[in-house]
Amino acid sequence: MEYRNLGRSGCAVSSLCLGTMTFGAESDEKVSHAQLDRFVEAGGTFVDTADVYSKGESERIIGRWFASRGAEVTDRVVLATKGRFPMAGDPNGVGLSARHLTRALDDSLGRLGVGSIDLYQAHSWDPVTPLEETLLTLDGFVKAGKIRYYGFSNFTGWQLTKAVHLARELRIAAPVTLQPQYSLLVREIEWEIVPAARDAGMGLLPWSPLGGGWLSGKYKRDQRPTGATRLGEDPGRGMEAWERRGTERTWEIIDAVQRIAEARGVSMAEVALAWVTDRPAVTSTILGARTVEQLETNLKAAGLHLDDAETAALDAASDLHATDYPYGPLGVDQRSRTLDPA
């Protein structure tokens, strides 16, 4: 396992992070605890959850794991959680207001059974709450010792930049990370979000790096998924839906990943994870396994680095072919400049 700074902070985390959205939903407590044990045994130190995962059950499962393991195991874990989405049915039971975030954080601390959380993340932008209120609340959490760092998830480039500069203006603690969806299938964040994060010195924590399982090779052309897979059980599942994601571009990317995996003698999942983990500004890639066996496969990506030719092949297959303006070649050329007068 390799280790990197948690964005702009001095805290070190493993380059692979154990995501726990499946805990309490697709993985029962025994399997979830086995995943945590195996992850730490493999050198993993970074665990990510959220209050909304299984309506708090993911945090409770992690809390019971912390309580049942010794400090020699749990002290190594850098723990992250998130708040923003509805946890109650009233108007103040959602969002990034001081009222909701304070209650959400206290509830997360209680479910996790810890005195403080290493990384607390605003799970998504809130168009209703003034950003200043949110940032001052998060800074207050840092000052009170309830959290050590804070970050964002699912923010766009302008939202991230606005938050970074407002924090500087207010002279308060600055965000250290951004958690976006990022994979060979989802590269749109490279247009604005990645440059904004790099400009701010923030680390990226990609979620869904396997595109909901598409990049693991489990799905085949012209064969609708069946059986005990996410799309087999729910073909219309959100962004991963069969009709939505099963485009010609997707199959070309899958073919490119498969060619490299076969030449390397590794799994397709390892190749896809290695690609995203080595992208600019990435701190740690979030793994979302349903079983210990899936986690074992994903953990093999630790320390795997693609060569320039392999990376170029995947870049080409996954190219979004942006139109000329503003993200295509002509738009990029307008923003480019060298010191060479020729």
Side-chain angles (χ1 to χ4, degrees), residues 140-162:
F141 294 161
V142 173
K143 288 182 169 65
K146 289 185 174 183
I147 66 175
R148 296 184 174 90
Y149 309 100
Y150 75 89
F152 306 126
S153 181
N154 302 311
F155 274 39
T156 62
W158 74 264
Q159 292 165 354
L160 183 155
T161 299
K162 181 176 181 179

Side-chain angles (χ1 to χ4, degrees), residues 111-167:
R111 285 188 291 265
L112 290 163
V114 296
S116 63
I117 289 166
D118 296 302
L119 177 66
Y120 193 61
Q121 301 156 98
H123 209 155
S124 188
W125 177 262
D126 179 0
V128 175
T129 302
L131 184 57
E132 182 174 2
E133 177 180 342
T134 299
L135 296 181
L136 288 171
T137 300
L138 293 168
D139 180 67
F141 294 161
V142 173
K143 288 182 169 65
K146 289 185 174 183
I147 66 175
R148 296 184 174 90
Y149 309 100
Y150 75 89
F152 306 126
S153 181
N154 302 311
F155 274 39
T156 62
W158 74 264
Q159 292 165 354
L160 183 155
T161 299
K162 181 176 181 179
V164 168
H165 285 279
L166 182 55

